[in-house]
Amino acid sequence: MFYGFDFDATMLRIASMNLIMHGVASPDIHYQDTLSQGVAEKRPQAAKSSFDLILANPPFKGRLDEQDVSPDILRVVKTKKTELLFIGLILRMLKTGGRSASIVPDGVLFSSSKAHVQLRKHLIEDNQLEAVISLPSGVFKPYAGVSTSIIIFSKGGSTDEVFFYDMHADGYSLDDKRQPVKDNDIPDILAQYQRWCDRDGDFSGRTQQAFGVPKGDLVAQNYDLSINRYKQQVYEAEQHENGRVQACQRASVGFCQRRASQNLLRSRSFLLGIPQPRCI
């Protein structure tokens, strides 16, 4: 059975029609603010520990009055930010062992506010955070250009290691036109994640698109979940005919290297008497 909640009447009609077109004859879609205190009274069966699977794309950058939010959610994360409150709501609505895949703005993964760290710590210490899939900027164009990721987690259990994937393409151009293109990482994400779940292969190397990060490393970084915190970039020094040394990222030769690496090469060039590198 498929359920859904929203307090936008237009979205309710669109969601119902979408489910019907995909074979769900009687979609159970309701007009309801699921963050409010009244949801437990109006729909007690759906408010707590009711669902095996929740897929969500919560509102970004919204703010609510804490007095209107259910106290159960505020006990998970005390904040006014909707992108954090909805993750707390999802945890409340899942059965123990239930799973969720939710799209969140990247700020949820790395922001250092007390509420952000509190939520990430709760996901890792009190639940099983399974995966963080970093999406390329542009997947929501032309409607929004915010950088986002998918987090996959289960209610309860414990986190030992987290699967990370650096997605570069989704089969469509990353501009406002969003036209079909050949590059598409989605099949590889599914294959690599299945291998990860089956413990088939070595995911310790962090130079690839798919890799694992042990819980201890996450804790050491204050529960930071941004992929750039853990992925290792590979740089090569190339000698050109004119004698200049240029550092290029193996995955994207021709782009300027990161500032830190550039400064390091400049220092080495100065000490060795080699002309300083320039970006092209």
Side-chain angles (χ1 to χ4, degrees):
M1 181 64 71
F2 291 86
Y3 298 86
F5 303 94
D6 208 308
F7 56 33
D8 185 319
T10 300
M11 292 307 300
L12 290 174
R13 291 194 294 270
I14 293 174
S16 297
M17 181 58 67
N18 189 26
L19 288 171
I20 291 172
M21 292 175 64
H22 286 82
V24 180
S26 301
D28 200 351
I29 308 295
H30 300 281
Y31 182 86
Q32 179 66 58
D33 178 3
T34 50
L35 291 175
S36 68
Q37 299 186 39
V39 66
E41 299 176 1
K42 295 180 180 179
R43 306 194 184 279
Q45 293 182 340
K48 295 182 180 180
S49 304
S50 300
F51 298 101
D52 299 301
L53 176 65
I54 295 179
L55 306 177
N57 182 9
F60 300 164
K61 297 183 179 180
R63 297 179 69 87
L64 297 176
D65 190 333
E66 288 186 13
Q67 295 180 351
D68 296 332
V69 180
S70 172
D72 289 345
I73 301 174
L74 292 176
R75 279 194 286 269
V76 174
V77 54
K78 189 173 180 59
T79 183
K80 298 179 181 179
K81 295 181 177 295
T82 54
E83 62 266 32
L84 302 181
L85 291 170
F86 270 101
I87 300 300
L89 169 67
I90 290 169
L91 285 168
R92 189 185 72 173
M93 296 177 73
L94 284 172
K95 295 178 180 178
T96 300
R99 305 175 74 201
S100 174
S102 299
I103 299 174
V104 296
D106 280 353
V108 171
L109 306 181
F110 63 78
S111 292
S112 58
S113 76
K114 182 178 179 180
H116 284 85
V117 176
Q118 177 188 4
L119 179 63
R120 296 196 300 266
K121 181 178 180 180
H122 182 59
L123 282 172
I124 292 170
E125 297 289 355
D126 304 319
N127 301 277
Q128 184 180 3
L129 179 62
E130 301 177 25
V132 176
I133 300 171
S134 177
L135 304 180
S137 297
V139 293
F140 287 109
K141 285 188 175 181
Y143 308 105
V146 62
S147 296
T148 56
S149 295
I150 301 172
I151 57 173
I152 302 174
F153 56 90
S154 299
K155 182 176 180 177
S158 60
T159 302
D160 296 322
E161 192 172 13
V162 177
F163 173 86
F164 281 80
Y165 193 100
D166 188 10
M167 180 178 174
H168 298 154
D170 68 341
Y172 295 88
S173 62
L174 298 175
D175 54 18
D176 289 347
K177 295 182 179 179
R178 294 290 282 159
Q179 296 178 334
V181 297
K182 292 183 179 180
D183 295 335
N184 186 359
D185 289 333
I186 294 177
D188 187 56
I189 293 173
L190 297 175
Q192 295 287 3
Y193 189 52
Q194 186 62 57
R195 289 182 58 222
W196 165 267
C197 294
D198 295 339
R199 295 296 184 261
D200 176 19
D202 181 12
F203 289 87
S204 59
R206 299 185 186 179
T207 59
Q208 305 301 317
Q209 282 183 274
F211 58 91
V213 177
K215 174 184 174 181
D217 290 1
L218 303 175
V219 175
Q221 296 295 335
N222 200 28
Y223 301 98
D224 192 317
L225 296 175
S226 58
I227 195 167
N228 291 332
R229 174 70 66 178
Y230 305 103
K231 187 174 182 181
Q232 297 175 353
Q233 303 290 346
V234 177
Y235 296 90
E236 294 179 337
E238 296 184 358
Q239 186 74 34
H240 294 267
E241 293 181 0
N242 59 9
R244 290 193 176 99
V245 176
Q246 185 174 46
C248 298
Q249 187 175 348
R250 180 180 299 168
S252 54
V253 176
F255 285 91
C256 296
Q257 60 180 338
R258 291 189 303 184
R259 183 176 299 176
S261 298
Q262 186 182 51
N263 290 340
L264 175 61
L265 284 170
R266 283 176 174 167
S267 299
R268 291 180 59 190
S269 299
F270 176 79
L271 293 174
L272 298 175
I274 302 173
Q276 293 185 7
R278 294 183 298 178
C279 292
I280 58 174

